[in-house]
Structure formats: C-alpha cells, structure tokens
Amino acid sequence: MSKIAFIFPGQGAQYCGMGQDFYEQTRIGKETYDMASSLLGFDLPKLCFEKNDRLDITEYTQAAMVTTSIAMMRVLEAEKGIRPQVSAGLSLGEYCALAAAGVMSDADAIRTVRQRGILMQEAVPNGIGAMAAILALDALTIEEVLSGMEGVQIANYNCPGQIVISGKKEAVEAANEKLLAAGAKRALMLNVSGPFHSSMLTGAGEKLGEVLKGVEIKTPQIPYVANVTAQYVTDREMVKPLLKEQVYSSVRWQQSVETMVADGVDTFIEIGPGKTLAGFIKKITKDARVFNIEKLEDMDKLINFS
C-alpha cells in the first residue's frame, strides 16, 4: 500500500489561467473560488484567470495561489477519494498543507495568507531586497561563504544543486560573485517583489503572529512537515510559532522531502500550478512516484492509483 503525501508549490509557480477548469466544471471548485471572493472582497476568478498586473504583487499572489491549490485538492479528494497520510508545502504552500491536514479551515488558510501577503509586501520597500538562485554548488559551501557576510542568508534549500539566497540587494549581488568564485555554475537574480525568508522580514513575521492569534488551530489529523524544522508537526501548539518564524527563516524543502521518504512516503502528489516540486523531488530521491495535478484531466492519471 502506498504512503501518500500531498505537496503544494509556493509563490514562484506560474499560474495565470490555472484552475479555470476546476472553477467552471466542478461544483466544489466553483464553491472554493466563490468563498474566497466573498472572504477577501475581490473577484478571485478574475484575478486568477485573466492576465493582470496584480498577479505579480505578493498580497494578491498568495491568496490566488492558495485558493487555486485548495480548490484542486478538494476536487481531487471528492472525485477520486484519495487522501494523504502526510502533507507539506513549500513556503506559501505550507498553508495548503495545513488545510490538507485539518489544522486550519480552508477559509482561515485563505484569509491568513491574504494578510501574510500584505505584511510581506509592506515589510521592505521595492528595490531594497533581492533573491538569487545558486546552481550547482553544495549547501555546505554556500553556508560557509555566507557565514562571513552580513545582510544575506539562505532562503530555500530546494534540492541538490539549487539553493536560493535572500537579503539586501547589494549583499545578494556580492554573495553571487563570491559563490561563483567558489564554484557555482550560475547565480541568477530572481524576479521577486521582496527578500522573502530573510531576516529583513522579521517584522512581518511578528505581525503575522498577531494575526494568527485570531485563527483557530486544530490538532493535525495527519502529520504535516514544517518548513522551518523539516520535521513532522503533530502538536497544534507548535503551529503558530512555526508559521510566524517561517516568514523570515530558511525553507528546508530538500530536508522535508528526506524526512517524508525516511518515514516511508513513496508517492508524492503535487497539487497546484506548475511542476516545480516534482522536479525537486526527482533530484532528491529516485525511489518515489510523483504525480502532478494542475488540470482536471491530470486526475485521470490516478484512476488506477493504489
């Protein structure tokens, strides 16, 4: 019997137009988008399915992404009867993992990420912070180079050969040069609106902690893996502190996948726009099955799933 993990992508996924078939062709999908529109006071389908400048703005991106992934998940569960034994999400995707684990209601996940997006957008003026992807250099070397620098840190341990750094723009640019000199194949500046998962967002994390005080957290029905620790969370008292810390801490995605594989997870179902996490997993482990759900037709891959 397979041990299944639902996994959810983060903000970097390309999703304009994604989810439209779930909205137009399924009752549950439509209800999820309509609920989000009612909660947030703007038209989520229009935001998600029509090209617009707001999709690149964090305060809108986060709500759109989580709504889309949750809608896809609920349709998958209802129509295929597939439920996970474990859940995890990269950065923003952790909120979908919380919904999958029964820790947070769909409505609270959507409401909270809307506030999270606003707080992160407001934390650092545009142009002050930056992020870069460092390719083909091991984590230990990157950690050693950054340990002697101020204003820059590892934001994401994505997979072997791909680590993202974040911080002050000048510090990130300087780090890129040092990491290239240390053997990195490439150092690519990312098109993002802020220095996410860096200490520059500590204030945003503290404010999110205040928002979370009003959110009901339930005991996980299944374990989920926290970005900050890359370990299972089964105690609801740990949820809010970890979500607050996640805003300004490294996302340990590679380590999270390794935790799940060590626990016997052999099947990962990525739910949401893009196939980014599937690509990471294939570089982390050769032994797992990976499926993607980003279109209704993708669920047909799971007809004979067991």
Side-chain angles (χ1 to χ4, degrees):
M1 192 72 176
S2 297
K3 189 164 188 175
I4 303 166
F6 280 3
I7 57 173
F8 302 91
Q11 190 165 323
Q14 181 58 250
Y15 58 88
C16 182
M18 292 291 184
Q20 190 164 357
D21 49 352
F22 287 82
Y23 176 72
E24 294 178 346
Q25 299 177 42
T26 72
R27 176 183 58 82
I28 292 173
K30 185 176 189 306
E31 287 176 351
T32 302
Y33 279 100
D34 289 345
M35 172 190 68
S37 295
S38 178
L39 287 173
L40 304 180
F42 55 86
D43 191 328
L44 255 294
K46 184 174 182 180
L47 174 67
C48 293
F49 309 145
E50 299 177 11
K51 288 189 176 181
N52 61 83
D53 293 338
R54 292 189 300 169
L55 272 179
D56 294 327
I57 302 173
T58 299
E59 65 173 275
Y60 293 105
T61 304
Q62 298 200 19
M65 191 73 188
V66 167
T67 299
T68 296
S69 292
I70 287 177
M72 292 176 177
M73 173 180 67
R74 296 308 181 199
V75 172
L76 174 64
E77 290 176 333
E79 296 198 3
K80 297 299 179 184
I82 297 173
R83 299 271 190 298
Q85 283 80 54
V86 180
S87 65
L90 189 151
S91 187
L92 174 64
E94 187 165 335
Y95 286 81
C96 303
L98 291 168
V103 176
M104 193 179 286
S105 70
D106 294 353
D108 279 340
I110 292 167
R111 269 193 295 252
T112 304
V113 297
R114 167 65 172 160
Q115 293 302 311
R116 179 181 183 269
I118 292 171
L119 293 171
M120 292 172 68
Q121 189 70 43
E122 293 176 345
V124 180
N126 285 337
I128 302 298
M131 300 179 76
I134 309 302
L135 305 183
L137 188 62
D138 65 279
L140 182 59
T141 300
I142 295 173
E143 290 169 351
E144 289 176 349
V145 170
L146 298 189
S147 68
M149 303 183 68
E150 292 186 0
V152 60
Q153 67 192 72
I154 292 178
N156 296 63
Y157 294 84
N158 286 335
C159 65
Q162 186 180 132
I163 285 178
V164 176
I165 63 174
S166 181
K168 294 180 180 178
K169 183 178 180 183
E170 295 81 1
V172 170
E173 291 172 341
N176 286 349
E177 295 302 317
K178 289 191 175 184
L179 292 168
L180 287 168
K185 185 175 181 180
R186 300 183 73 184
L188 304 173
M189 297 296 286
L190 301 180
N191 182 22
V192 294
S193 58
F196 304 133
H197 300 292
S198 78
S199 60
M200 295 179 75
L201 268 70
T202 301
E206 295 297 329
K207 291 176 182 177
L208 179 63
E210 294 299 312
V211 171
L212 288 166
K213 288 180 179 179
V215 178
E216 181 182 9
I217 299 295
K218 298 179 181 178
T219 299
Q221 296 173 9
I222 59 171
Y224 81 92
V225 185
N227 285 180
V228 173
T229 62
Q231 298 298 317
Y232 284 147
V233 177
T234 57
D235 179 359
R236 70 187 184 96
E237 297 300 324
M238 295 296 297
V239 175
K240 291 181 181 181
L242 286 170
L243 288 178
K244 180 181 78 169
E245 191 175 344
Q246 187 230 51
V247 173
Y248 51 84
S249 300
S250 301
V251 173
R252 299 181 178 276
W253 183 251
Q254 177 179 336
Q255 297 91 330
S256 297
V257 173
E258 291 168 346
T259 292
M260 290 183 277
V261 170
D263 186 49
V265 172
D266 58 6
T267 303
F268 294 88
I269 303 179
E270 180 176 4
I271 303 173
K275 299 179 180 179
T276 301
L277 299 187
F280 292 162
I281 288 172
K282 290 173 183 176
K283 293 180 180 179
I284 297 168
T285 177
K286 303 295 184 184
D287 300 326
R289 294 191 297 174
V290 184
F291 297 90
N292 297 88
I293 304 297
E294 59 177 346
K295 299 177 182 177
L296 267 175
E297 62 195 51
D298 291 334
M299 295 197 301
D300 293 337
K301 303 171 188 173
L302 306 177
I303 288 176
N304 299 315
F305 183 81
S306 62

